[in-house]
């Protein structure tokens, strides 16, 4: 029996790189879709680049998606590509809508045209819940997105459901709550905190400027979460699943753990800056992963404190180099 083939869009991102590693471990033939840009960034997949096949493609261009699917002939498609940074979605709301929302329709159309038997995973987001209408949030909690990113993700989520119901595609969505790792971009708050804790410890920085320290999130480890993505496409029926830890922490707690691990005093170095406040804040996200546990056998294995401490260690190592 030949190896299963998977195509990952957004393969150079945090989740894409961990997912590619996981699928390679499971014996998959892994294909990744990358967008042509003036500065190629392959650092997250450099160590496995010779083991995966890369295809040029862009969620804004239907033809390129069709070509990537024809070339890779995947059994599974993981659509992780998006304009992924919430703060930028207010600066580029139309582009966010095109990439993160309408781009999913293009991908689904291409799958329907080229390989309708393929199993399709859509990366949905807890940002769709936004101004939450119930605590904790489950698969049936109504959406109330509070950013152009959240709105685009809600569209992408519902169009995935619509294609599943209209065309009988095996299309599933993972409603993933915040998940972090040492591969997180420096613009994301957890990585910004752990990098600065390490940099201040090593005398390379003197302060950390943050927005709302009281914002609360359900933060997990990206490496745990990509396993949930894979499990969803092995399930008998396509369905939607909340992937979360069920525990909430504040930005302030994240700072305290990171600075404690680095051995740096918080009070001397952390400054609140209105420039980092969101136009519309999401105050409290916490997910209920009961359905994923019962149907997929998935559970988070890494605690928030363990996650932040391992991220600080990784940033200390990075900056010492």
């Amino acid at each position: 029996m030949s190896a299963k083939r998977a195509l990952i869009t957004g393969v150079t991102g945090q989740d894409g790189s961990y997912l590619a590693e996981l699928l390679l471990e499971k014996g998959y033939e892994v294909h990744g879709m990358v967008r042509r840009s003036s500065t190629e960034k392959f650092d997250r997949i450099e160590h496995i680049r010779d083991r995966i096949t890369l295809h040029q493609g862009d969620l804004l261009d239907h033809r390129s998606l069709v070509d990537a699917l024809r070339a890779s002939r995947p059994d599974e498609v993981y659509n992780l590509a998006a304009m992924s940074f919430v703060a930028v979605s207010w600066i580029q709301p139309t582009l966010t809508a095109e990439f993160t929302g309408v781009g999913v329709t293009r991908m689904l159309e291409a799958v329907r045209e080229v390989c309708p038997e393929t199993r399709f995973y859509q990366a949905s987001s807890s940002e769709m819940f936004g101004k939450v209408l119930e605590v904790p949030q489950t698969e049936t909690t109504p959406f109330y997105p509070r950013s152009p990113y959240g709105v685009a993700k809600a569209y992408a989520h519902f169009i995935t459901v619509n294609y599943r119901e209209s065309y009988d595609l095996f299309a599933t969505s993972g409603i993933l709550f915040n998940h972090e790792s040492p591969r997180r971009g420096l613009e994301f708050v957890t990585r910004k905190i752990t990098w600065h804790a390490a940099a201040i410890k090593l005398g390379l920085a003197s302060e950390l400027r943050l927005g709302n320290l009281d914002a609360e999130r359900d933060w997990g480890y990206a490496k745990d979460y990509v396993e949930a993505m894979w499990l969803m496409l092995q399930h008998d029926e396509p369905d939607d699943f909340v992937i979360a830890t069920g525990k909430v922490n504040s930005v302030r707690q994240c700072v305290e753990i990171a600075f404690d691990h680095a051995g740096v005093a918080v009070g001397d170095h952390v400054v609140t800056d209105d420039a980092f406040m969101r136009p519309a804040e999401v105050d409290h996200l916490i997910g209920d992963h009961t359905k994923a546990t019962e149907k997929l056998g998935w559970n988070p294995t890494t605690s928030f404190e363990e996650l932040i401490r391992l991220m600080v260690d990784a940033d200390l190592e990075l900056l010492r180099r």
Side-chain angles (χ1 to χ4, degrees):
M1 183 180 162
S2 61
K4 266 191 181 177
R5 283 188 300 274
L7 174 66
I8 305 169
T9 74
V11 72
T12 59
Q14 168 188 259
D15 292 7
S17 64
Y18 281 120
L19 179 62
E21 284 177 354
L22 177 75
L23 296 179
L24 286 169
E25 282 169 21
K26 293 185 180 294
Y28 277 66
E29 182 184 308
V30 177
H31 296 254
M33 194 180 87
V34 293
R35 192 158 53 98
R36 176 82 185 92
S37 68
S38 54
T39 52
E40 303 290 5
K41 283 199 70 178
F42 296 117
D43 48 316
R44 293 187 183 97
I45 58 166
E46 205 57 62
H47 62 296
I48 53 170
R49 197 171 168 185
D50 60 343
R51 298 172 62 199
I52 61 183
T53 306
L54 297 179
H55 304 270
Q56 292 277 343
D58 196 313
L59 290 179
L60 302 185
D61 184 78
H62 178 79
R63 175 85 260 141
S64 69
L65 302 181
V66 167
D67 290 346
L69 288 167
R70 284 194 174 133
S72 57
R73 296 176 295 121
D75 300 293
E76 299 171 1
V77 170
Y78 295 87
N79 188 45
L80 310 186
M83 203 300 295
S84 62
F85 188 41
V86 176
V88 173
S89 74
W90 276 283
I91 301 166
Q92 299 180 322
T94 310
L95 188 64
T96 300
E98 281 288 344
F99 264 125
T100 307
V102 181
V104 181
T105 314
R106 289 192 194 95
M107 196 72 206
L108 286 162
E109 272 294 295
V111 166
R112 192 164 76 90
E113 180 182 331
V114 177
C115 48
E117 301 306 308
T118 295
R119 296 189 168 205
F120 179 86
Y121 171 84
Q122 166 58 20
S124 287
S125 168
S126 60
E127 285 286 330
M128 302 186 303
F129 295 122
K131 191 174 181 177
V132 298
L133 300 177
E134 65 181 12
V135 178
Q137 293 88 57
T138 72
E139 292 79 6
T140 58
T141 301
F143 298 151
Y144 192 150
R146 297 267 283 171
S147 65
Y149 172 83
V151 173
K153 278 289 188 185
Y155 171 87
H157 179 85
F158 281 125
I159 201 70
T160 302
V161 173
N162 185 259
Y163 270 64
R164 177 169 76 217
E165 295 176 351
S166 301
Y167 304 115
D168 203 27
L169 293 183
F170 193 108
T172 185
S173 288
I175 306 173
L176 271 57
F177 280 64
N178 293 63
H179 47 289
E180 317 298 320
S181 76
R183 296 181 193 173
R184 196 44 138 164
L186 285 168
E187 69 273 23
F188 290 86
V189 70
T190 48
R191 181 72 198 291
K192 182 178 177 180
I193 290 167
T194 63
W195 188 92
H196 276 84
I200 291 165
K201 172 68 175 177
L202 298 174
L204 301 172
S206 60
E207 68 173 23
L208 165 61
R209 304 185 81 83
L210 292 169
N212 181 10
L213 293 175
D214 297 315
E216 293 180 317
R217 295 289 185 274
D218 182 328
W219 275 297
Y221 186 21
K223 212 167 179 179
D224 292 344
Y225 285 36
V226 297
E227 187 173 353
M229 299 175 187
W230 177 76
L231 286 168
M232 283 179 224
L233 293 196
Q234 313 318 306
H235 195 52
D236 294 337
E237 297 291 330
D239 205 347
D240 305 322
F241 295 91
V242 163
I243 303 300
T245 69
K247 295 182 171 65
V248 72
N249 289 278
S250 67
V251 173
R252 191 184 305 279
Q253 287 167 295
C254 181
V255 171
E256 288 166 358
I257 294 166
F259 276 61
D260 172 71
H261 195 67
V264 178
V266 173
D268 303 337
H269 302 287
V270 179
V271 179
T272 305
D273 186 339
D274 287 347
F276 295 108
M277 297 291 187
R278 291 182 177 188
E281 184 56 87
V282 173
D283 297 311
H284 182 92
L285 291 173
I286 179 168
D288 180 349
H289 60 85
T290 302
K291 182 177 172 182
T293 300
E294 290 177 352
K295 291 198 169 187
L296 305 176
W298 180 85
N299 274 297
T301 62
T302 310
S303 74
F304 178 67
E305 185 165 334
E306 288 168 336
L307 169 64
I308 298 306
R309 291 184 188 279
L310 75 85
M311 287 173 66
V312 173
D313 283 339
D315 279 322
L316 282 166
E317 188 185 333
L318 177 77
L319 290 170
R320 284 193 183 113
R321 283 209 301 271

